[in-house]
Amino acid sequence: MRYISTRDNSVQYTASQAIAQGLAKDGGLLTPFYIPKLPNKALEDLKSMAYQQRAVYIMKQFLEEFSVKELTDFANAAYGPEKFDSPAVAPVHTVDGSTHCLELWHGPTCAFKDMALQMLPHLLSASLVKTEEDKTVCILVATSGDTGKGALEGFKNVPRTKILVFYPKDGVSQVQELQMVTQEGSNVGVAAVVGNFDDAQTGVKKLFSNEKVRRDLERKGYFFSSANSINWGRVLPQIVYYISAYCDLLRDEKIEPGQAVNVCVPTGNFGNILAAYYAREMGLPIDQLICASNSNNVLTDFIREGVYDRNRQFYNTMSPSMDILISSNLERLLYSITQDPEEVRRYMARLNEVGRYQVGGKVKEKLQKRFKGYFCDDKETQRVIRSMYDRHGYLIDTHTAVAFSALEKYRAETGDGAPAIVASTASPFKFCSSVLEALGEADIAQGLDALDQLTAKTGQPAPAPLAGLRNKRVRFTQVVEKERMADAVMSLLE
Ligand SMILES: *Cc1c(COP(=O)(O)O)cnc(C)c1O
């Protein structure tokens, strides 16, 4: 299996080169040259396997240079009982006869980023060995919350890696900040940046291209890399859970062999729903991919009109992990649909220059045949949380609620009642105050006390990694000006 850049398919890379490198030098995304088909009977075989074995089987199709033994060790380490509080890893909760919720938040940080960020460090450190890279990789992350903690947990104590996370001092929730500043592990560093998420993100981008920092780092035996969702090593582990969910439904006789399902995903950077698209390309019987957005509805418009336009008002919503106007992974979909790197390059150049591009003809047709786009605002998000809880006793977070709202609209509009899998991307306890508000609570407690309030209200316990934050020691207190992030990198590497 060879990998190419979405902007130039004449140069080929191995899987380990693609993973070690993260991003292509031409700015494109490294992507498999073709999507392998699942062998006949694969779903039948996978049905009786545990999640870890399913992961090995599916990832192996894309990773020829990795042995089954290697991948088995990785899967057991990434998805073991010390990491996930459900033996199913990504369990499917049936809400009603034809609606199934795929819970992706049973990992150490209670958000779906764990599904990939628990696996990526293993893939990355093995890739460094395979590509004969002898330096230690220094992962830099700017985070608005979930990715930073997910990456810290994934990379902690992984040999030959160092991970440094920058978060905006005033841009993360109290729970999210506590999650990061109490991070354990010998190879981790965390600092707050004075400013907002854009300041932290711009600062990190500047570090990547700062020649002096690069040289200083090299002298210390390090090189920079990134753990964000443009790395193929993050998309691949996400394909697994869609196939796994289908196998669970087969095993539990909730669907017939070969029966088509729809998949609905709350979307920001387009990574999670892209993985569902790839699962379909592999042969999983998926009919429609329903792309759910919040008020930052750039993807809804793109799917409906064929126009991607980031020149619009930005909203801070109660589903902050989807507050995104540039969905980086959409580039991989454009490549898959057009199979034309030059065309992709043109779209991306337009996006870069004027913030807008348009697809037409066959491209738009193919896009609309497979994807349906819906969005909702915060009020609707809260209505859905309330109604899901009142009608089904099922507690969901704000991001998941955006997805259920989209599914409801899709069904009402089309009358398509086919079984649907809805991706649930965070524990409701991670977004306690919005959830409590949705359930009608008036006085909402501060910080970690809100966890107890949600437990008192619903009788459900908070996940252990969040409840346990009370007893954790604060290890990181450094606050840096955005101009001084290079110094922070050096001091954290001491
Ligand atoms: C990251 C995230 C999303 C968006 O996922 P993408 O892969 O960026 O589309 C949705 N929900 C939660 C809770 C997240 O952390």
Side-chain angles (χ1 to χ4, degrees), residues 223-257:
F223 75 100
F224 277 142
S225 187
S226 130
N228 67 24
S229 69
I230 52 184
N231 192 311
W232 176 249
R234 272 192 65 180
V235 179
L236 176 56
Q238 297 181 352
I239 298 174
V240 174
Y241 48 71
Y242 291 107
I243 298 175
S244 175
Y246 190 91
C247 290
D248 277 4
L249 294 176
L250 271 182
R251 182 198 60 204
D252 300 342
E253 298 182 347
K254 290 176 174 167
I255 54 174
E256 306 279 331

Side-chain angles (χ1 to χ4, degrees), residues 111-113 146 266-272 321-322 397 399 425-426 431:
F112 98 96
K113 304 290 192 291
D146 292 336
T267 307
N269 220 5
F270 208 77
N272 200 359
S321 304
M322 294 154 64
D397 94 294
H399 304 76
T425 50
F431 299 92

Side-chain angles (χ1 to χ4, degrees), residues 91-105:
V92 177
H93 176 97
T94 292
V95 179
D96 65 38
S98 63
T99 312
H100 310 281
C101 191
L102 170 58
E103 295 180 351
L104 301 172
W105 42 263

